Amino acid sequence: MSAIDYPYSQGDRLEERNTYFYSQYHGAAFFPVWQASRQAALAHLPPAQALPLPTAGEQLESAQDTAALLADLLNTAADAPGKRRLAERLLQRFEVSKRLHRRYDSDFKAVASSGYDDLDLYLQFAALCLHHAEQPGALPFLNGLLKVIDSLISVQQHLSPPQGAQLAWLISAEHDWVARIAARATVEITP
């Protein structure tokens, strides 16, 4: 096997959060261990099923309900005026804390008492990252997708069967996105 390890999806990454700081560069040798992590997860997940589009409803307020925000963003074109900035702010909050809280205040600071254990939010956030895949400057969303999938794999034993099927679908979509970028850069990764 390989001397490279992929620790990012091991343990409970909602509690023992990854920092990804000072991650060693391994070049193309990284792809097989990343893929092995995903394949190991898929071996324990139900068959893939796309996430249902959440129902957009309530008007967004200055204090953001994360589920309502995700529903709004997923039901709107990724390039809609003002929506990209909201998606980027939520992405930034996730990048800083590696958590998604149920609520954020008007400055997009987490309302700590709202909790961060709603796994549906992480699945919807991953879908939001994919929603931006074809937009210019989408690499920060790919970065967020990789990390949220690491977190979801680390807690996959807590996913319901439908959530597990959704994670399987997200892993496939993540691979497709990485493969498209690799092909454009003429970097070969195995399927």
Side-chain angles (χ1 to χ4, degrees), residues 113-137:
S113 63
S114 69
Y116 55 86
D117 60 347
D118 183 346
L119 298 178
D120 282 326
L121 294 179
Y122 295 86
L123 292 163
Q124 295 294 330
F125 176 72
L128 177 66
C129 291
L130 286 170
H131 188 60
H132 286 272
E134 300 304 321
Q135 296 300 306

Side-chain angles (χ1 to χ4, degrees), residues 35-158:
Q35 289 179 314
S37 163
R38 293 338 194 216
Q39 291 303 316
L42 287 169
H44 300 286
L45 294 171
Q49 185 173 5
L51 276 78
L53 193 61
T55 305
E58 60 189 76
Q59 183 74 352
L60 296 178
E61 356 168 320
S62 59
Q64 300 288 342
D65 174 81
T66 307
L69 175 60
L70 285 164
D72 178 58
L73 293 171
L74 286 166
N75 280 287
T76 307
D79 61 352
K83 299 300 181 174
R84 170 76 182 234
R85 181 68 185 125
L86 281 173
E88 287 171 340
R89 292 201 66 194
L90 188 58
L91 173 65
Q92 190 271 342
R93 291 290 78 208
F94 175 75
E95 286 285 5
V96 168
S97 69
K98 306 303 179 286
R99 292 178 174 159
L100 292 166
H101 285 78
R102 285 182 178 89
R103 293 189 66 75
Y104 291 88
D105 69 16
S106 59
D107 294 321
F108 253 89
K109 289 191 168 92
V111 177
S113 63
S114 69
Y116 55 86
D117 60 347
D118 183 346
L119 298 178
D120 282 326
L121 294 179
Y122 295 86
L123 292 163
Q124 295 294 330
F125 176 72
L128 177 66
C129 291
L130 286 170
H131 188 60
H132 286 272
E134 300 304 321
Q135 296 300 306
L139 285 181
F141 288 99
L142 176 58
N143 191 42
L145 178 65
L146 293 163
K147 292 173 182 175
V148 73
I149 288 179
D150 284 342
S151 295
L152 285 163
I153 288 172
S154 80
V155 296
Q156 73 183 55
Q157 70 276 13
H158 299 297

Side-chain angles (χ1 to χ4, degrees), residues 46-47 49-50 123 159-167:
Q49 185 173 5
L123 292 163
L159 296 173
S160 68
Q163 290 172 324
Q166 293 165 5
L167 175 57

